[in-house]
Amino acid sequence: MARKSRKHNTAQAAMPVSPFISTALYIRLSVEDNNKRGNSIETQKLVLEKFLFGKPELRLYDIYIDNGATGTNFNRDGFQRMLSDIESGKVGCVIVKDLSRLGRNAIDTGYYIERYFPSHNVRFISVTDQFDSENPDNLHGGIILPLKNMINEAYALDIGRKIKAQARQDMKEGKYVGGRAPFGYMKDPDDCHKLIIDPVAAPVVRQIFQWAYEKVPLNRIVLLLNEGGYPSPGKYKMQTGEITHHALAGRGYWQTWTVSKILQEDKYTGDMVQGRTKTVLHRQVPAGEENLIVVTGTHEPIVSREIFDAVQKYRAEVAEESKKHPVIPYTPNIFKGRIFCGDCGRSLHRQRQQCNGSYRFHCLTPTRVHKDKCSGVSISETELIATVLDILKRELAAVLGDYALLLNDNIQKQEKEAATREKINRAKLQFNQSREFLQTLYENLMNGAIDSEEYFVLKATYEEQMQAAQKELSFYENQSAVRQEQAEKCKNLEKDEQELLAGGSLTAALIERLIERITVYPDKQVDVKFTFRAEFEAFKEAEAE
């Protein structure tokens, strides 16, 4: 998933005034660090917590951990979550064990230390490097800091080159270097680079090749697999524990691309064919035939070379035949990702009609999964657009009427805004008073005006008052912002309604902005869930408080 760039987002996050600095501890462990005890997650955490213990002004907010994440880029879940908290004003200090934990990319690491953190008023500390951005006389600034970042980047590049070189050598020796074995095989318990037959999955692969050898179409093979109860590769590997995350297992059904991928896999003939892809800018891309490494007879075959070659020949003939037909581009699907079957819940497939070039939406479950799993849904795109447009106009009129009752009563609106401003001012006053008392409390202890027992009691009281005032302030400021935001949304909805009433068409942009989900039922009844209805109900509930 692509991450949002923050390199040009230098807007300063508003930090609450406090005698304490909300602090984030950032920990990163990459694959190459796994065997280094000094960089383990536990060791890093211990070093950071020990450092934090000696800095009472730094109050821990959260610990952000990226386990098994490369330092050559910053697309890491823990790091990105920390940036979001920084931009929300929740974090005012970041501490790492050493600079290499932050990153091994000299340019980007330097950007965060020298530009991003200062622009957000965030203090940055690297413990073992003895670097603290708050110290203007830090001896490790100037030339030394960029130099360390360049050394870290060079180290990462060197490690990457060594890993790639070793992987290429293993491929040449006929060793399997993939993370998981292909469906139909398993890794030898005594040698993770060797493939052995999986007695459960291998017969499924043989059956797929047999059907393909008999020229059974892909769609038919998929239906036979699903109706026959054969577990899909993702579901099977989930059952065996080879996959632990549900997102990697898919929905548990066979699909045409899964079967197609199996039918292209040379490894089922007993030959080790590797190097089809390479990494470019952290993404897997096709590497070309010159990058392939083929070692024959490395493991037991599941299908014969004769059957495999016959299947490839037939598939090539089918592909060549399809190229003879003129390719007519599909028109944009304005309902993409938002239209579902009301019976089985699957996304509806958009198909062009050969007879007249029009489009229909229908459910693939009866023809791809199992005929008894869904009664089937089908509706023409023209009918769907007309129906959704009619429902949208009615719902816009209804919700705009509801908005009018809440927003257009000027007297009530002014009274609510005045009351909110008064509560905001009161919370600010309470916060500032408590802060002033807290700032002078230590002086009173030193000059004998209060004893240590009174000091700690009053200190806890003022801190509690500040936290309560800050919480109240945030609540009412957010309430005021929500009210303004909803007023703006109401204006936009009015504009959308006017354009539709003037004969405007249903567009992908309009659907993305206003519609969350469209459900079509077997009787062609259409149900539409609107985003703005849920937003209004939340606003109405907030206004009632």
Side-chain angles (χ1 to χ4, degrees):
M1 177 176 148
R3 301 286 188 178
K4 181 180 71 174
S5 174
R6 292 177 165 89
K7 287 196 174 183
H8 303 291
N9 182 9
T10 56
Q12 181 173 321
M15 295 291 294
V17 180
S18 171
F20 305 103
I21 302 177
S22 184
T23 301
L25 304 184
Y26 180 69
I27 296 172
R28 182 184 67 82
L29 183 70
S30 60
V31 175
E32 61 266 24
D33 292 317
N34 280 335
N35 296 323
K36 300 179 182 179
R37 294 190 61 186
N39 282 333
S40 70
I41 289 177
E42 294 75 16
T43 300
Q44 292 183 59
K45 187 176 181 182
L46 185 64
V47 170
L48 297 180
E49 289 180 339
K50 182 178 179 180
F51 177 83
L52 198 63
F53 181 76
K55 305 289 182 190
E57 75 277 11
L58 302 179
R59 176 170 290 178
L60 178 63
Y61 175 75
D62 202 353
I63 300 176
Y64 304 82
I65 299 175
D66 282 311
N67 193 354
T70 178
T72 58
N73 68 72
F74 290 84
N75 294 336
R76 318 172 207 142
D77 292 341
F79 188 81
Q80 292 295 324
R81 185 169 66 86
M82 182 177 71
L83 293 189
S84 296
D85 286 343
I86 287 174
E87 293 175 2
S88 299
K90 299 174 182 177
V91 171
C93 178
V94 173
I95 307 179
V96 297
K97 174 180 171 286
D98 58 64
L99 291 173
S100 69
R101 298 307 94 200
L102 183 67
R104 293 190 184 275
N105 180 311
I107 294 177
D108 286 348
T109 302
Y111 160 76
Y112 281 106
I113 296 174
E114 298 172 17
R115 296 280 302 278
Y116 182 85
F117 291 147
S119 71
H120 288 77
N121 288 333
V122 172
R123 179 179 175 184
F124 175 72
I125 299 172
S126 177
V127 177
T128 58
D129 295 299
Q130 299 180 17
F131 177 84
D132 187 342
S133 62
E134 193 177 69
N135 184 0
D137 300 322
N138 199 304
L139 296 178
H140 291 286
I143 296 175
I144 300 300
L145 186 62
L147 181 60
K148 282 197 172 188
N149 287 334
M150 285 189 285
I151 292 173
N152 287 329
E153 180 173 8
Y155 171 79
L157 292 174
D158 184 55
I159 288 293
R161 281 193 293 267
K162 288 179 179 178
I163 292 173
K164 289 179 181 178
Q166 183 60 52
R168 293 288 293 181
Q169 182 59 38
D170 287 343
M171 290 180 190
K172 292 176 182 178
E173 295 175 5
K175 297 179 180 179
Y176 182 67
V177 299
R180 288 189 293 268
F183 182 71
Y185 286 107
M186 62 177 66
K187 291 186 177 182
D188 190 330
D190 299 323
D191 184 358
C192 66
H193 295 298
K194 183 178 180 181
L195 297 179
I196 59 176
I197 292 286
D198 183 336
V200 177
V204 182
V205 174
R206 291 193 189 97
Q207 181 63 77
I208 291 173
F209 271 93
Q210 184 60 38
W211 280 326
Y213 181 71
E214 296 169 359
K215 301 183 179 180
V216 178
L218 279 184
N219 290 347
R220 179 63 181 168
I221 293 176
V222 170
L223 182 61
L224 290 171
L225 289 167
N226 286 320
E227 287 189 337
Y230 297 98
S232 66
K235 185 176 181 180
Y236 176 70
K237 290 182 180 295
M238 193 82 177
Q239 293 171 349
T240 60
E242 194 172 351
I243 289 178
T244 57
H245 199 291
H246 288 279
L248 298 175
R251 299 190 62 178
Y253 297 121
W254 286 89
Q255 299 183 51
T256 53
W257 69 267
T258 309
V259 174
S260 180
K261 184 178 179 182
I262 287 175
L263 291 175
Q264 297 173 34
E265 183 55 76
D266 304 74
K267 295 184 184 69
Y268 294 124
T269 65
D271 297 341
M272 192 66 75
V273 180
Q274 300 179 102
R276 294 188 186 278
T277 63
K278 61 182 178 179
T279 303
V280 178
L281 297 177
H282 311 292
R283 297 185 65 183
Q284 290 291 317
V285 299
E289 293 295 324
E290 68 280 0
N291 197 59
L292 283 181
I293 297 178
V294 182
V295 181
T296 60
T298 58
H299 51 277
E300 183 180 351
I302 292 178
V303 298
S304 68
R305 172 56 68 176
E306 290 74 19
I307 288 181
F308 183 85
D309 289 342
V311 169
Q312 307 312 306
K313 180 181 179 182
Y314 173 67
R315 286 171 55 78
E317 291 172 353
V318 172
E320 193 63 33
E321 183 65 27
S322 66
K323 291 179 182 179
K324 296 178 181 179
H325 302 288
V327 177
I328 303 174
Y330 272 60
T331 59
N333 180 8
I334 63 175
F335 296 105
K336 185 177 181 180
R338 281 178 166 76
I339 182 165
F340 301 88
C341 174
D343 193 349
C344 67
R346 286 169 60 94
S347 297
L348 294 187
H349 176 70
R350 183 175 184 249
Q351 185 174 19
R352 184 165 55 201
Q353 306 296 299
Q354 295 293 333
C355 55
N356 55 16
S358 63
Y359 295 89
R360 293 191 70 83
F361 287 91
H362 65 98
C363 183
L364 293 177
T365 298
T367 58
R368 299 284 180 86
V369 179
H370 198 295
K371 61 180 180 297
D372 296 329
K373 295 286 185 180
C374 180
S375 57
V377 163
S378 179
I379 187 171
S380 72
E381 186 175 64
T382 303
E383 182 180 357
L384 180 64
I385 290 175
T387 302
V388 172
L389 194 57
D390 184 55
I391 296 174
L392 176 58
K393 289 177 181 178
R394 292 201 308 267
E395 188 66 16
L396 277 174
V399 82
L400 285 172
D402 293 337
Y403 265 117
L405 294 176
L406 287 179
L407 297 174
N408 292 342
D409 188 336
N410 288 328
I411 297 178
Q412 186 180 13
K413 180 181 177 182
Q414 292 172 4
E415 289 177 350
K416 285 186 176 181
E417 290 177 350
T420 301
R421 283 196 301 270
E422 182 180 350
K423 292 173 181 176
I424 290 174
N425 292 334
R426 186 168 63 243
K428 286 181 178 179
L429 179 62
Q430 177 64 57
F431 182 87
N432 291 331
Q433 286 179 343
S434 300
R435 183 186 61 184
E436 291 173 3
F437 291 151
L438 187 61
Q439 289 172 341
T440 59
L441 196 59
Y442 185 75
E443 297 176 7
N444 291 337
L445 175 65
M446 291 296 97
N447 61 30
I450 58 174
D451 58 28
S452 59
E453 183 178 350
E454 290 175 309
Y455 169 78
F456 286 110
V457 171
L458 291 173
K459 180 175 179 290
T461 300
Y462 293 144
E463 288 176 352
E464 185 178 341
Q465 289 175 353
M466 289 175 64
Q467 291 176 357
Q470 183 63 47
K471 184 177 180 180
E472 186 176 359
L473 179 62
S474 299
F475 173 79
Y476 289 115
E477 285 181 339
N478 180 67
Q479 189 180 67
S480 178
V482 167
R483 188 177 290 118
Q484 294 177 8
E485 182 184 359
Q486 290 296 330
E488 187 63 30
K489 286 183 177 180
C490 182
K491 291 180 181 178
N492 292 334
L493 289 178
E494 288 176 343
K495 181 180 178 182
D496 290 333
E497 183 190 38
Q498 291 170 2
E499 290 179 356
L500 290 176
L501 292 176
S505 59
L506 199 60
T507 65
L510 194 66
I511 291 173
E512 182 178 1
R513 189 167 66 250
L514 302 181
I515 295 177
E516 180 179 340
R517 183 185 180 95
I518 301 171
T519 304
V520 183
Y521 294 90
D523 60 0
K524 293 190 178 181
Q525 178 184 343
V526 177
D527 179 66
V528 183
K529 185 177 182 181
F530 296 97
T531 55
F532 57 82
R533 171 54 72 179
E535 291 169 352
F536 171 77
E537 293 300 331
F539 176 54
K540 181 180 178 181
E541 183 177 341
E543 285 291 281
E545 294 181 356

